[in-house]
Amino acid sequence: MLLVGGTGRLRSSEREARTIRNMDGRIGRFPSIDPMNERDELDAIVIGAGEAGAMVASLAVEAGARVALLYREPWGSTCLNVGCVPSKFLIHRARVAHVTRTAGRFGIHASEPRVDLPTIVSEMLSMIDDDRAASLSAARTTPGLDLVEGAARF
């Protein structure tokens, strides 16, 4: 994550000269900032929409800064997409199967659980997609925050 701010303001004439490389390898112009906004400058550029990047961008916007947040698909952090959230979802389902399987030791007799892994994975992916969509929607409607999809290169 990189935060560029303070005296390093990016004005429209500078912005027009800058390029970004998108995930598909195409090079494109730095996205135009809302022309209806009277304040045509950025105070900060944050690279990465993970936990730290989202927090830095949020705090900067709350402080009144105009921020561009650059992110690569999929939107969100490692935690949301492939880390904490999916692993905890799967661990919880495994725990339910284990408790069901070993309930006899508590005098509770249940049949052997049948684990439907495709259904579990489908439910997990659906939950992640819903969380990602809600988070991205909130970011898109945040005043003072401009989202830029693509990979940052130096």
Side-chain angles (χ1 to χ4, degrees):
M1 180 192 65
L2 171 75
L3 174 66
V4 178
T7 59
R9 294 182 187 272
L10 183 62
R11 298 194 184 343
S12 61
S13 61
E14 296 168 320
R15 186 175 49 248
E16 291 170 2
R18 303 212 181 189
T19 61
I20 58 171
R21 183 176 301 275
N22 296 324
M23 289 295 289
D24 61 4
R26 290 180 299 136
I27 296 178
R29 290 275 185 227
F30 194 92
S32 61
I33 305 302
D34 182 5
M36 300 305 290
N37 191 325
E38 294 177 15
R39 192 170 158 215
D40 194 22
E41 62 184 33
L42 291 172
D43 297 306
I45 298 172
V46 178
I47 299 174
E51 300 300 323
M55 179 61 73
V56 168
S58 176
L59 291 172
V61 167
E62 286 176 15
R66 181 98 185 275
V67 178
L69 177 59
L70 284 73
Y71 71 97
R72 291 185 307 192
E73 283 290 335
W75 169 264
S77 63
T78 297
C79 181
L80 171 64
N81 291 303
V82 295
C84 314
V85 174
S87 63
K88 286 180 181 178
F89 184 95
L90 295 173
I91 289 167
H92 176 261
R93 298 297 171 99
R95 176 84 177 135
V96 169
H98 172 74
V99 168
T100 303
R101 188 176 292 116
T102 60
R105 65 186 174 158
F106 300 108
I108 300 169
H109 302 284
S111 61
E112 182 70 18
R114 186 180 62 80
V115 176
D116 183 354
L117 190 57
T119 297
I120 291 171
V121 170
S122 177
E123 290 174 3
M124 178 194 69
L125 293 174
S126 178
M127 182 195 69
I128 292 169
D129 287 344
D130 291 347
D131 288 354
R132 184 184 307 121
S135 175
L136 181 56
S137 177
R140 283 185 173 146
T141 59
T142 301
L145 181 64
D146 295 293
L147 300 181
V148 180
E149 182 184 336
R153 298 193 192 270
F154 297 93

